[in-house]
Amino acid sequence: MNKEDDMKEVELNEMDQEKQPMTGETPTGTEKNGCVKVKVPEDTEVKFTGLSKEELMKVAGTAGWVRTRWALLVLFWLGWVGMLAGAIVIIVQAPRCKPIPEMNWWNEGPLYQISDLNEFSENGLKGVEEKLDYLNQMKVKGLVLGPIHTVQADQSSTLELTSINPDFGSESHLISLLDRAHRKGISIVLDLTPNYEGVSAWFNNAASVAERLKGACVYWLNKGVDGIFLSHLNDIANTEAWPSVQDIFNKTEGTKKSALMGSVTGLSANEVSHLLNRSSVDLLLTGLPDPAEPGVRQAQVIKMLYTDHLQTSLGWSLSGQTLGSLASRTPAWPIRLYHMLLFTLPGTPVFSAGDEVGLKAGEKLEAMWDLESQAEDDNATAKVCKEEHTAVRDFFKALSDLKGKERSLLHGEYISLHSSPTSLAFLRLWDQSERFLVALNWGNASVTMTLTNSDLPAEAQVRASTDTENIAVDSKVSVEKLQLGPKQAVLLSYAFPG
């Protein structure tokens, strides 16, 4: 064998070894390294293929799947019917909300009387218009202006109820005031008491001016005035002409009702009740309850008027052109105590200009506008007086805000809880709305009131207080035995217990 044949044999042997399995041994039993070539498939993932349409239809038609589908369908409808039945039971068993009673614009917040327009502002009607932003901040819902018509004292022949006294402005000024006030949600009422500067408001003969009064009512209502106010109402209400005056207001058109209002003084609760029934006015101011009377009597008067009449016709006012300012009428008690009483009674609170800051007899209305000044007052006494007026005004504003938005205070029920010669407490509640408890003590000694009612909780939250040092606003106080210091008042609230 030559050299070339030897080389071919070697290559063949090496090729044979590559084909041997990798056992670590040669065919002769001796170990020898080798190399194994392995081919790996490029795609080793197992692909899933679902059932075909024919296979699915075949499976879905089996008895087991048919029963399962029927069972799920029945369960779905049973669940739906059960939820519907549950909703019906909840609706039937839930307490029904009371329908909101019919209310008019004069029942939605306090009214504000401005008897002397030039004392309130130097510019008469124009000055009142300039103060509308301030009145809006006080949450006033209506202004009772004047009287502002032309008349010479005690001379009925000079009476012109459709003519404005030039000292107060002109008819164009009134129209401008009406327009701007209405845009701010404030209504305007004109006082048409004929002989407002004389001895007798009705010239001792109300029937003699009845026709002129009816003509003036129609005239001013057509100009956009929202209501007419008449003081000493019992004088004109007793005449034969009164029904025809009432007819004017019963026939007013539009969504906003025109109001016929009046006031009386010096009448008992029984006499006031009789006048309300006979006159059918929309709102009557009575000067009751009398602050000089004991708390027990005041509670009786309030309950009598509330029980016998719709609260929408009850006006509560302790001040005015005849009575004077609230602070001067009740000098022995803090004015904030009577702010709280008037704002929380069932009906409409009516204040005179200056009552909101507690102006006393002799103080001029211009003192209200000094409160807006940022200048420092060098006089210590004047500074203290200014701070007190500001605090009273802030208290008034807080109560006015509550009156306007809380249903229990706007048109809620009145429940007497306590009365004594020097103290009074009552509850205001409406349906499921927040409840309000009012307690007042105008005596010279502290008082502990034992209050009981099925609606009362153990504690209530303080919403307003005349004694913030001892009864802080937003704090919790015991209701069962409520303690009040001398000449103090508190307004509490608590949630509907149901």
Side-chain angles (χ1 to χ4, degrees):
M1 185 180 295
N2 59 25
K3 184 177 181 180
E4 185 178 348
D5 293 334
D6 291 339
M7 291 296 293
K8 290 180 178 180
E9 186 178 350
V10 171
E11 289 176 1
L12 288 171
N13 290 334
E14 289 177 353
M15 290 177 62
D16 291 338
Q17 290 175 3
E18 290 179 1
K19 296 178 182 179
Q20 298 298 320
M22 193 171 180
T23 60
E25 293 183 356
T26 65
T28 59
T30 60
E31 295 183 3
K32 185 176 182 179
N33 291 329
C35 127
V36 177
K37 294 182 179 179
V38 180
K39 289 186 178 181
V40 179
E42 293 182 1
D43 188 2
T44 59
E45 181 181 356
V46 179
K47 293 184 178 179
F48 175 79
T49 58
L51 297 176
S52 65
K53 181 179 179 181
E54 291 75 14
E55 291 172 324
L56 284 172
M57 293 298 293
K58 183 179 180 180
V59 172
T62 61
W65 279 107
V66 171
R67 287 194 296 268
T68 300
R69 287 199 304 272
W70 275 108
L72 291 174
L73 183 63
V74 171
L75 286 174
F76 168 79
W77 283 109
L78 286 175
W80 188 87
V81 171
M83 288 188 293
L84 179 62
I88 293 173
V89 170
I90 291 173
I91 293 172
V92 170
Q93 292 185 346
R96 300 292 180 89
C97 293
K98 284 186 178 181
I100 301 298
E102 182 180 355
M103 296 181 65
N104 294 291
W105 58 263
W106 59 86
N107 306 127
E108 296 173 352
L111 302 185
Y112 192 88
Q113 290 182 304
I114 306 176
S115 299
D116 190 334
L117 273 63
N118 288 330
E119 185 181 354
F120 181 77
S121 175
E122 295 179 354
N123 297 322
L125 287 166
K126 190 175 180 180
V128 174
E129 182 178 344
E130 294 169 353
K131 301 299 182 184
L132 285 176
D133 287 336
Y134 165 80
L135 296 169
N136 197 37
Q137 291 175 5
M138 296 298 109
K139 310 298 182 181
V140 170
K141 293 301 179 182
L143 300 180
V144 181
L145 302 180
I148 59 174
H149 54 263
T150 301
V151 67
Q152 294 181 22
D154 301 321
Q155 297 183 36
S156 62
S157 60
T158 65
L159 177 64
E160 295 183 31
L161 291 172
T162 58
S163 175
I164 295 177
N165 188 328
D167 292 341
F168 303 124
S170 64
E171 186 171 308
S172 63
H173 289 142
L174 176 60
I175 300 302
S176 177
L177 171 60
L178 285 168
D179 179 64
R180 189 173 177 200
H182 289 165
R183 282 189 274 119
K184 291 184 175 293
I186 299 176
S187 300
I188 302 294
V189 176
L190 279 188
D191 188 338
L192 291 184
T193 304
N195 190 27
Y196 61 95
E197 292 185 336
V199 176
S200 170
W202 293 90
F203 300 105
N204 290 316
N205 187 356
S208 66
V209 296
E211 289 302 318
R212 279 179 281 181
L213 173 65
K214 289 189 289 184
C217 289
V218 173
Y219 180 84
W220 289 120
L221 291 178
N222 288 336
K223 292 292 183 180
V225 169
D226 301 294
I228 301 298
F229 184 92
L230 303 170
S231 62
H232 300 273
L233 182 75
N234 44 332
D235 289 352
I236 183 68
N238 288 327
T239 67
E240 294 181 356
W242 181 247
S244 59
V245 175
Q246 289 177 292
D247 289 342
I248 296 171
F249 294 85
N250 293 333
K251 294 177 182 177
T252 52
E253 299 178 355
T255 57
K256 184 176 182 180
K257 187 181 186 308
S258 298
L260 178 57
M261 303 179 181
S263 68
V264 291
T265 56
L267 299 186
S268 67
N270 286 326
E271 290 170 330
V272 166
S273 184
H274 181 64
L275 179 60
L276 269 170
N277 291 329
R278 187 175 72 254
S279 67
S280 298
V281 289
D282 296 304
L283 192 72
L284 182 64
L285 313 187
T286 65
L288 299 173
D290 188 345
E293 291 188 334
V296 175
R297 179 55 186 162
Q298 292 191 44
Q300 291 173 347
V301 168
I302 295 168
K303 187 174 182 180
M304 176 188 298
L305 294 176
Y306 170 74
T307 303
D308 295 343
H309 305 280
L310 292 173
Q311 59 177 291
T312 52
S313 64
L314 299 178
W316 305 102
S317 178
L318 299 178
S319 60
Q321 196 168 16
T322 304
L323 296 172
S325 69
L326 183 57
S328 61
R329 190 182 180 197
T330 59
W333 303 285
I335 190 171
R336 281 179 284 190
L337 189 149
Y338 281 97
H339 280 171
M340 187 174 294
L341 176 64
L342 294 175
F343 269 117
T344 56
L345 285 174
T348 301
V350 184
F351 299 92
S352 295
D355 284 349
E356 74 272 29
V357 299
L359 290 184
K360 299 178 177 62
E363 290 186 290
K364 295 184 177 181
L365 287 175
E366 64 186 28
M368 293 193 302
W369 316 129
D370 293 338
L371 301 181
E372 306 299 323
S373 174
Q374 300 298 321
E376 290 291 332
D377 204 321
D378 296 332
N379 187 302
T381 303
K383 186 176 181 179
V384 171
C385 184
K386 183 176 180 179
E387 291 174 350
E388 175 61 21
H389 286 330
T390 301
V392 171
R393 185 188 63 184
D394 292 343
F395 189 77
F396 178 98
K397 184 178 178 181
L399 289 173
S400 187
D401 186 54
L402 283 173
K403 176 72 174 182
K405 68 182 183 182
E406 296 292 347
R407 289 183 176 179
S408 291
L409 294 178
L410 269 177
H411 47 71
E413 300 172 40
Y414 169 90
I415 300 175
S416 180
L417 296 178
H418 167 89
S419 62
S420 75
T422 59
S423 59
L424 179 68
F426 55 88
L427 190 63
R428 298 296 309 283
L429 55 89
W430 174 259
D431 198 24
Q432 301 173 49
S433 299
E434 190 170 18
R435 277 83 163 98
F436 286 85
L437 191 158
V438 186
L440 310 102
N441 173 28
W442 49 84
N444 294 317
S446 297
V447 63
T448 299
M449 302 181 186
T450 302
L451 307 179
T452 56
N453 187 278
S454 59
D455 192 78
L456 291 177
E459 289 185 330
Q461 183 181 8
V462 179
R463 301 298 295 274
S465 171
T466 61
D467 184 13
T468 54
E469 291 185 2
N470 296 311
I471 306 179
V473 175
D474 293 331
S475 65
K476 295 279 190 177
V477 298
S478 171
V479 170
E480 185 177 355
K481 291 193 176 295
L482 183 60
Q483 295 183 339
L484 274 183
K487 300 180 180 179
Q488 302 295 343
V490 66
L491 176 63
L492 308 176
S493 72
Y494 59 94
F496 171 60

